[in-house]
Amino acid sequence: MKILVIGKGGREHALAYACKRSVLCDELICAPGNPGMEKIGECVNVKDNDVEGLVALAKERNVDLTIVGPEATLALGVVDAFKKEGLKIFGPDKKATQVESSKDFAKKIMAKYNIPTAAYKTFYDLESAWTYVQEQGAPIVIKEDGLKAGKGVTVASTLEQAKEALDIAFAIENNSVVIEECLFGFEFSLICLVHNETVVPLEVAQDHKCVFDGDKGPNTGGMGSYSPVKKITSEIIDEAMNEIMKPMASAMVKEGVPFTGFLYGGLMLTEKGIKTIEFNARFGDPEAEVILPRLESDFVQAILDLMDNKPVELKWTDKVSHGVVLASTNYPASSTKGSLITGVDDVDGLVFHMGTKMTDEGLVTDGGRVLMVVTLEDDLQTAFDHTYKELEKIQCKDLFHRNDIGKKDM
């Protein structure tokens, strides 16, 4: 088969890596791809927001299956455009992508179908939002509606922080915010392969959103991850599937927006049971980089079987996967471009490219999150030690990383 992976980040590199391992994959095309993906497939210079260009590429190259990485591409309606041309593509259409592209859309469905989540209200102006926040008090969660690449959320521990988040949100024309109660507990990511009402769970991972050690500082797109998560037992996963993931897939069918693709459940294990923090319409990043290397089943075959309404059974290694992100200095406020990176080829483990570029001088930074180093070992402590040892081999004056990825589960 000819397989096309759309996107250029770490998640897409991990998706391409999983596709490349499939016995069904004869030819792997990445659009636009990155320097890491270039080593396992052909990178074609078609941007991931160029829907017409992507359709043309798939038709011209007779692509058999396309897998979409970025949520922004899904929100543009790439799946609708591919289906219109009779092309096989794995991902939700534009309407179903609203589960991520509109937080209000997702919360309304959860409320209607009694899917456990934080209490919330949606606001369209600063004055009423601020009044509500003052009534509720802190801590409180402010979520900008729409796609924010994992960074449009403020967990405000004070009213001052909440006011600042609201000021920023409503400085954007026609913006709205979802204001939620603050959930406390142990956070984890449960991503499922979904086709209509069929929901197949992947292995659980834990993302680390905050930029600094000890979960301090602003939210990022994710600073590291590991899988499996010891604290999340099979009983907890069953509860999450029966109370949240399956009901959400079923609810979307009932609402006339059936979902096909990777349905991401950002979940919180609280004292009152599991609650939904958010849903995303695509594979998590950096979760993809630690989950997919643990998959022993054929990734492409699983997707094809799911879309053909055939049974899907997945096999996983018992090994623990642990990954740490190398990010640009001052991320998430800013990113760097053009800073030389050395030592990547010396790493004993997997290196997923998130924001890199190849130049005549060599590999350089080209974004906020730049690289992710992943190792697989028999237990989390050994994987933790191995990953951090390998990180030392990568040299760049403009990169930093967290030092405590996975510590909460040791």
Side-chain angles (χ1 to χ4, degrees):
M1 294 179 69
K2 286 186 182 178
I3 297 167
L4 170 63
V5 174
I6 297 174
K8 62 180 180 180
R11 165 184 49 228
E12 291 78 27
H13 190 174
L15 289 168
Y17 166 82
C19 289
K20 186 67 176 177
R21 294 168 75 193
S22 168
V23 296
L24 299 174
C25 181
D26 297 317
E27 193 175 331
L28 178 64
I29 304 164
C30 308
N34 63 40
M37 294 163 83
E38 253 174 12
K39 293 183 177 180
I40 56 173
E42 178 192 353
C43 290
V44 180
N45 189 23
V46 179
K47 291 183 178 176
D48 54 23
N49 62 359
D50 180 2
V51 173
E52 284 184 15
L54 292 166
V55 170
L57 172 65
K59 289 173 75 175
E60 182 188 320
R61 299 293 293 270
N62 295 314
V63 167
D64 298 295
L65 173 68
T66 298
I67 298 173
V68 190
E71 61 273 26
T73 308
L74 293 167
L76 288 171
V78 70
V79 170
D80 310 66
F82 268 62
K83 283 183 174 175
K84 191 177 175 186
E85 296 295 329
L87 296 163
K88 199 176 192 76
I89 185 166
F90 188 65
D93 63 19
K94 191 173 183 176
K95 284 185 178 176
T97 299
Q98 288 178 99
V99 76
E100 177 171 6
S101 63
S102 170
K103 292 174 181 66
D104 182 59
F105 172 88
K107 294 295 275 192
K108 278 176 178 167
I109 291 181
M110 286 187 266
K112 184 175 177 179
Y113 292 91
N114 297 313
I115 295 166
T117 188
Y120 84 103
K121 275 196 173 182
T122 302
F123 294 89
Y124 301 91
D125 68 277
L126 176 59
E127 189 179 348
S128 56
W130 175 231
T131 300
Y132 179 77
V133 165
Q134 289 174 291
E135 289 167 358
Q136 298 299 311
I140 197 160
V141 180
I142 315 289
K143 293 182 175 180
E144 291 184 50
D145 203 42
L147 294 175
K148 303 293 174 182
K151 297 185 280 289
V153 178
T154 300
V155 181
S157 53
T158 65
L159 287 177
E160 289 77 17
Q161 287 176 349
K163 181 64 164 64
E164 184 184 353
L166 290 173
D167 286 341
I168 291 168
F170 286 110
I172 301 166
E173 197 175 345
N174 299 321
N175 206 6
S176 58
V177 298
V178 170
I179 301 177
E180 294 182 346
E181 68 168 317
C182 191
L183 297 176
F184 295 97
F186 189 81
E187 191 174 338
F188 63 102
S189 305
L190 178 56
I191 298 155
C192 297
L193 301 177
V194 175
H195 180 54
N196 299 330
E197 296 206 33
T198 304
V199 186
V200 181
L202 304 180
E203 286 282 271
V204 169
Q206 190 186 55
D207 184 12
H208 294 60
K209 281 281 183 201
C210 295
V211 70
F212 300 125
D213 289 6
D215 291 336
K216 302 282 194 270
N219 266 3
T220 70
M223 293 298 292
S225 187
Y226 66 96
S227 174
V229 182
K230 201 162 43 183
K231 286 187 181 176
I232 305 305
T233 62
S234 57
E235 290 80 14
I236 292 169
I237 293 168
D238 287 345
E239 182 186 338
M241 287 296 291
N242 294 328
E243 299 292 322
I244 295 172
M245 303 307 293
K246 288 179 181 177
M248 189 62 176
S250 179
M252 292 187 74
V253 170
K254 290 184 180 118
E255 289 295 305
V257 283
F259 190 97
T260 292
F262 305 108
L263 183 62
Y264 172 112
L267 309 177
M268 182 79 82
L269 181 61
T270 75
E271 289 180 354
K272 296 179 181 177
I274 304 166
K275 294 203 175 184
T276 312
I277 301 167
E278 65 177 351
F279 283 110
N280 290 330
R282 38 71 191 181
F283 220 120
D285 184 356
E287 292 94 338
E289 293 92 319
V290 295
I291 293 171
L292 290 172
R294 295 189 57 230
L295 181 63
E296 293 184 335
S297 307
D298 191 303
F299 181 59
V300 175
Q301 188 66 62
I303 288 172
L304 294 174
D305 287 345
L306 179 79
M307 294 177 81
D308 289 338
N309 299 306
K310 294 176 182 174
V312 178
E313 286 187 24
L314 301 176
K315 190 180 177 203
W316 302 88
T317 178
D318 291 331
K319 286 188 179 292
V320 174
S321 178
H322 176 268
V324 178
V325 171
L326 286 157
S328 292
T329 309
N330 298 323
Y331 175 76
S334 63
S335 60
T336 61
K337 293 181 185 290
S339 190
L340 190 65
I341 307 164
T342 60
V344 171
D345 292 337
D346 299 327
V347 171
D348 173 26
L350 298 167
V351 181
F352 293 105
H353 291 238
M354 305 174 104
T356 64
K357 186 178 179 181
M358 190 57 76
T359 67
D360 292 340
E361 285 73 41
L363 191 69
V364 298
T365 61
D366 194 43
R369 293 183 301 162
V370 177
L371 293 165
M372 183 168 175
V373 174
V374 175
T375 65
L376 279 84
E377 296 291 351
D378 290 333
D379 59 78
L380 181 56
Q381 183 67 60
T382 308
F384 178 97
D385 293 340
H386 189 183
T387 304
Y388 280 106
K389 181 185 167 196
E390 297 308 317
L391 278 177
E392 293 174 11
K393 295 177 180 177
I394 297 175
Q395 299 296 313
C396 178
K397 66 181 177 63
D398 290 317
L399 293 181
F400 79 99
H401 58 78
R402 275 183 61 161
N403 298 291
D404 62 347
I405 302 300
K407 274 287 185 187
K408 281 183 281 189
D409 209 27
M410 289 182 184

